[in-house]
């Protein structure tokens, strides 16, 4: 049964997309992935509107203070195991909006992030590459414990401080962000 | 400027000072509460009067409230000053309803309250933002602001009407934004918007970056119309610097702006298909949008955020060898247009889901001050490219598209026809591309001055106000985006229609909230 679940997770990951304060640049590239030129659906990657059915959360944008709580809530609604991919410079670190009064910058302030895909916006090819790397990392046999990176959830914002972030399963292989193209 | 003459006679004896040339527009300094008289006089004189934006600005000793008003052939700024202690003004929403959202925003960001404004509450700031702290005041350090631990509970009244909350995360919206729709049975009774989920405080951060850094910042207000934002900003700075962009730079900018419009319109035309369950159309449009992204990449080096504009011109020249590729791509797209036009005009399912839905009458469009394809779909012939030509638009022939119906169908058809016009503009610009330099060197430090500037983004008039204080960083940058002006149209047209018609109606505004929230 576990094998079957793992097989389906790798062969057909269902993704949900949340814009937590992006400029739309990254979002239109995500939609471009689903449309005829790139068409990731042929690889089984499916965009899923409901968080309760999704395995992978694609987050774009520097997290705004108004969105932080919603982002957390959507993450909480996803079933285990779940993975977070930060797409774009904003989601990775805040991008150009770093230091503004209304953004927290970086998704990792709120959620444990499994893969970072930099770029402003990253090209669709880069996003595909990032997701494939995430899947490869999942498929790899577990490595010794020492290789694990500490989670960054302590840095959670004031808005999300009250509740502790549930730790996501840690990736055993580090997912290297691919270079900006 | 005959409108100023009319105003002068009408406002005789009032404490009003008219400055005809105020860096490209006219300014009216209204003292002792006479701004309402100015508004009344303007409304009487010109039916196309609408509030484009209201800028709240910290002037040190006092707060400035600048009403930027559009009329059919002039652009006027009405300047009012209020003391910092207890800053209060009387609303102008009873004279022109188009001011309602703008006033609320000024209250939120700078703290001037408008008595009699029908709206209330936080509009762009987070719910947890404390009362009485206004981020755009110079003495407020936003990083020291203590947020409230939890937002106030939402009030929910039980009754015959049911409140349906759409958003902030909703599959139909790419962006997080909340709309509370009150329905009685199937019929929509009221819509309450809550924007500000994507508020990144761009206006404040721009004050801490240099002008060149700001170009990249404002470009990232919106990924879809990024070139328009960058262009509007660099044009403003050039106006303050009194720099003239070389002709080749102007033509290249025009091409980039039109590519922006092409991809934005194709995106929306497809998105509207998706909303009414016509997914094939969505995929067709997005397939044909990809070649446009490719030519944007040829021209600027990037698919989406193009970073092509810079103060003094453009950053990259167009290679002669790339021209045939661009032309053949555009020719391919043009070949497919008759099919799309036919679909949008004649396809029965489109007619059923779009005709007579969300109808905005011409009078209402004028009253609410809507812009862009929404206004043009209601028969209001406004387009900044024609009204106040910038870049090379004055030299390039193109048609201004209007439809009379005012419904969702008309708005989408305006966009459909504009795609064709955009292709024509780009082809003309490529054929008549001047030779010579494409940019000029400009000083880093901008002399003191202030300027208002408008460009026609794909969604309508985009407005910038830039004030410089003589340093390398601007004193105030105010951005008013087209969707901000268009939301009131949705709030009125959705009422009285079935809930199922809300999505197509909404998408026909081509809403962009990253722009709106900044
Ligand atoms: S990374 Fe760039 S394109 Fe993506 S949301 Fe941020 S600013 Fe926009």
């Amino acid at each position: 049964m576990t094998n079957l679940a793992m097989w389906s997770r790798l062969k057909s990951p269902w993704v949900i997309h949340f814009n937590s304060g992006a400029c739309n640049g990254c979002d239109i590239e995500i939609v471009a992935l689903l449309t005829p030129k790139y068409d990731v659906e042929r690889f089984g990657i499916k965009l899923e509107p409901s968080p309760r059915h999704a395995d992978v959360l694609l987050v774009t944008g520097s997290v705004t203070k108004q969105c932080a709580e919603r982002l957390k809530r959507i993450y909480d609604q996803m079933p285990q195991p779940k993975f977070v991919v930060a797409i774009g410079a904003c989601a990775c670190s805040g991008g150009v909006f770093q230091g503004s009064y209304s953004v927290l910058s970086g998704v990792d302030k709120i959620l444990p992030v499994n893969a970072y895909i930099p770029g402003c916006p990253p090209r669709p090819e880069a996003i595909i590459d990032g997701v494939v790397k995430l899947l490869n990392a999942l498929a790899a046999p577990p490595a010794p414990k020492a290789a694990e990176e500490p989670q960054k959830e302590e840095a959670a914002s004031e808005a999300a401080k009250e509740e502790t972030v549930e730790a996501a399963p840690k990736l055993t292989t580090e997912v290297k962000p691919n270079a900006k193209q | 400027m005959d409108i100023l003459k009319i105003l002068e006679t009408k406002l005789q004896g009032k404490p009003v000072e008219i400055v005809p040339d105020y860096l490209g527009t006219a300014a009216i300094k209204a003292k002792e509460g006479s701004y309402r008289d100015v508004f009344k006089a303007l409304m009487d004189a010109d039916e196309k009067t609408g509030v484009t934006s209201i800028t709240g600005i910290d002037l040190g000793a006092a707060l400035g409230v600048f009403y930027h008003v559009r009329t059919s052939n002039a652009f006027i700024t009405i300047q009012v000053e209020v003391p910092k202690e207890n800053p209060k003004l009387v609303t102008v929403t009873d004279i022109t309803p188009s001011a309602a959202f703008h006033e609320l925003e000024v209250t939120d960001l700078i703290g001037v309250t408008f008595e009699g404004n029908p709206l209330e509450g936080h509009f762009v700031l987070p719910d947890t933002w404390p009362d009485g702290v206004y981020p755009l005041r110079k003495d407020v350090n936003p990083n020291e602001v203590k947020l409230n631990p939890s937002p106030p509970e939402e009030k929910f009244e039980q009754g015959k009407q049911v409140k349906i909350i759409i958003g902030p995360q909703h599959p139909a919206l790419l962006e997080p934004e909340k709309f509370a729709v009150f329905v009685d049975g199937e019929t929509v009774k009221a819509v309450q918007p809550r924007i500000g989920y994507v508020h990144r405080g761009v206006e404040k951060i721009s004050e801490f970056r240099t002008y060149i850094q700001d170009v990249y910042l404002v470009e990232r207000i919106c990924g879809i119309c990024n070139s328009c934002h960058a262009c509007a900003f660099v044009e403003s700075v050039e106006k303050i610097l009194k720099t003239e962009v070389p002709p080749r730079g102007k033509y290249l900018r025009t091409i980039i702006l039109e590519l922006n419009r092409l991809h934005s319109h194709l995106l929306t035309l497809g998105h509207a298909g998706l909303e009414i369950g016509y997914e094939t159309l969505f995929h067709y449009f997005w397939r044909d949008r990809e070649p446009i992204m490719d030519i944007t990449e040829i021209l600027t080096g990037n698919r989406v955020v193009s970073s092509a504009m810079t103060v003094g011109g453009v950053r990259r020249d167009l290679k002669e060898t790339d021209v045939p590729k661009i032309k053949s791509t555009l020719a391919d797209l043009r070949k497919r247009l008759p099919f799309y036009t036919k679909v949008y005009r004649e396809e029965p399912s489109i007619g059923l889901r779009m005709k007579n839905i969300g109808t905005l009458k011409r009078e209402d469009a004028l009253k609410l001050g809507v812009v862009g394809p929404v206004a043009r779909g209601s028969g209001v012939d406004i387009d900044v490219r024609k009204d106040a030509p910038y870049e090379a638009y004055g030299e390039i022939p193109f048609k201004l598209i209007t439809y009379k119906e005012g419904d969702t169908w008309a708005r989408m058809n305006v966009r459909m026809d504009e795609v064709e016009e955009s292709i024509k503009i780009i082809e003309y610009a490529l054929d008549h591309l001047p030779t010579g330099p494409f940019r000029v060197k400009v000083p880093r430090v901008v002399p003191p001055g202030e300027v208002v500037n408008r460009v026609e983004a794909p969604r309508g008039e985009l407005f910038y106000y830039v004030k410089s204080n003589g340093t390398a960083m601007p004193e105030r940058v105010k951005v008013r985006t087209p969707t901000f002006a268009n939301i009131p149209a949705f709030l009125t047209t959705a009422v009285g229609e079935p809930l199922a018609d809300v999505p197509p109606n909404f998408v026909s505004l081509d809403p962009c909230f990253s722009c709106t929230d900044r």
Side-chain angles (χ1 to χ4, degrees), chain B residues 153-159 161-165 182:
Chain B
E153 283 276 311
E154 241 180 90
K155 285 186 228 99
F156 188 74
E157 284 151 32
Q158 290 258 307
Q161 289 179 6
V162 177
K163 182 179 180 184
I164 298 179
I165 295 179
F182 294 86

Side-chain angles (χ1 to χ4, degrees), chain B residues 28-41:
Chain B
I28 300 177
K29 299 206 164 97
K31 292 173 207 124
E32 299 160 30
S34 56
Y35 61 99
R36 283 173 58 88
D37 299 320
V38 181
F39 265 103
K40 279 193 195 121

